[in-house]
């Protein structure tokens, strides 16, 4: 079945540091890929998405590129802020899965001033 | 547009009781999905409803059930609660029946089973 693996946290960074969160997936066909962010006490917010190979999703300084050859969708941000402290989830939706999302385990990111 | 709303936000129940959670999707959205979030199992898909029909179901026991009304509002029910049902239950809505689409999540209902 479909699965998503992402690096475990917590990831602790200083403000303005470079952030990378690795995400790899297993799925049949070509799924759509997503990054969601969850702030304390809140639900999930869509951060970015990509629906086909080589697509690059971007939002709020975050980027991720759909790499079919390595089945990866790594999240990057060039200069993090304290307000980026949150839990980040990588997810996929298989082509035959309707709107079912399969999530990775989440990566907690803590940015210190 | 108003976002996805979930009620109640917090619930405390005891083992053996049943509980009903409610989700109101974004206006015009017809698909509603439910997820359970726990520290141990992470985010797991429960079920999806579209136009009042369940069209996808996760690997949960029959104690977990749901329904969707003609106005797209959805409820999920958990009967005979167990301690392990303590979790954050998230609802998500989207505006189409399938294909690449964005799901919008509500703030969740935090259920505590004592």
């Amino acid at each position: 079945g479909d699965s998503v693996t992402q690096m475990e946290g917590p990831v602790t960074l200083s403000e303005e540091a470079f952030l990378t969160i690795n995400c790899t997936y297993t799925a049949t066909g070509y799924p759509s890929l997503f990054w969601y962010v969850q702030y304390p006490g809140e639900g999930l917010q869509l951060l970015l998405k990509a629906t086909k190979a080589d697509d690059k999703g971007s939002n709020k300084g975050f980027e991720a590129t759909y790499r079919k050859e390595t089945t990866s969708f790594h999240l990057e941000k060039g200069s993090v802020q304290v307000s980026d402290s949150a839990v980040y989830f990588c997810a996929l939706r298989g082509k035959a899965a309707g709107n079912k999302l399969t999530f990775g385990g989440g990566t907690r990111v803590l940015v210190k001033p | 547009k108003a976002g996805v709303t979930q009620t109640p936000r917090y619930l405390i129940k005891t083992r053996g009781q049943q509980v009903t959670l409610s989700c109101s999707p974004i206006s015009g959205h017809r698909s509603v999905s439910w997820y359970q979030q726990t520290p141990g199992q992470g985010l797991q898909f429960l079920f999806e409803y579209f136009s009042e029909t369940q069209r996808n179901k996760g690997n949960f026991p029959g104690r977990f059930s749901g329904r969707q009304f003609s106005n797209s509002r959805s409820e999920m029910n958990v009967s005979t609660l167990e301690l392990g049902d303590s979790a954050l239950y998230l609802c998500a809505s989207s505006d189409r029946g399938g294909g690449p689409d964005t799901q919008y999540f509500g703030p969740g209902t935090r259920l505590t089973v004592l």
Side-chain angles (χ1 to χ4, degrees):
Chain A
D2 296 344
S3 66
V4 176
T5 302
Q6 60 182 107
M7 59 189 290
E8 291 189 22
V11 174
T12 303
L13 303 164
S14 297
E15 213 166 18
E16 299 184 3
F18 185 87
L19 170 67
T20 299
I21 304 176
N22 290 338
C23 171
T24 57
Y25 67 89
T26 300
T28 54
Y30 303 106
S32 296
L33 301 174
F34 305 83
W35 277 100
Y36 281 86
V37 59
Q38 186 174 36
Y39 298 101
E42 298 184 12
L44 301 176
Q45 298 178 25
L46 178 67
L47 186 56
L48 53 84
K49 67 179 181 181
T51 59
K52 62 183 187 296
D54 299 325
D55 267 2
K56 177 185 281 189
S58 61
N59 186 27
K60 300 180 181 179
F62 290 90
E63 292 184 340
T65 300
Y66 189 143
R67 301 288 189 197
K68 182 171 69 72
E69 63 277 10
T70 54
T71 61
S72 65
F73 192 55
H74 304 322
L75 182 68
E76 297 181 335
K77 186 175 185 182
S79 178
V80 294
Q81 305 300 313
V82 172
S83 57
D84 294 324
S85 298
V87 181
Y88 293 81
F89 292 92
C90 184
L92 70 82
R93 183 179 57 229
K95 291 303 185 187
N99 279 316
K100 173 186 174 182
L101 291 170
T102 299
F103 286 91
T107 302
R108 183 175 300 278
V109 173
L110 176 61
V111 181
K112 296 186 174 180
Chain B
K1 282 184 179 179
V4 178
T5 58
Q6 293 186 244
T7 56
R9 292 292 311 276
Y10 302 91
L11 266 178
I12 299 176
K13 293 286 187 179
T14 56
R15 280 182 299 173
Q17 288 187 309
Q18 75 165 19
V19 66
T20 299
L21 312 181
S22 180
C23 172
S24 293
I26 291 171
S27 178
H29 286 194
R30 292 187 296 162
S31 170
V32 174
S33 299
W34 288 89
Y35 294 83
Q36 182 195 64
Q37 185 177 22
T38 60
Q41 300 299 315
L43 280 154
Q44 294 186 288
F45 173 79
L46 280 156
F47 27 65
E48 180 198 359
Y49 287 87
F50 177 74
S51 293
E52 301 179 64
T53 300
Q54 184 185 91
R55 67 173 183 177
N56 211 343
K57 188 177 189 305
N59 189 26
F60 278 81
R63 299 185 298 107
F64 292 82
S65 63
R67 59 178 175 169
Q68 187 180 32
F69 301 96
S70 58
N71 62 358
S72 294
R73 190 177 69 85
S74 177
E75 290 181 346
M76 68 162 282
N77 183 276
V78 188
S79 63
T80 319
L81 284 165
E82 301 177 0
L83 295 179
D85 297 333
S86 294
L88 181 67
Y89 290 88
L90 293 165
C91 163
S93 76
S94 60
D95 63 4
R96 288 192 299 175
D101 196 18
T102 297
Q103 291 192 64
Y104 298 87
F105 282 80
T109 294
R110 183 162 297 281
L111 172 64
T112 302
V113 182
L114 302 176

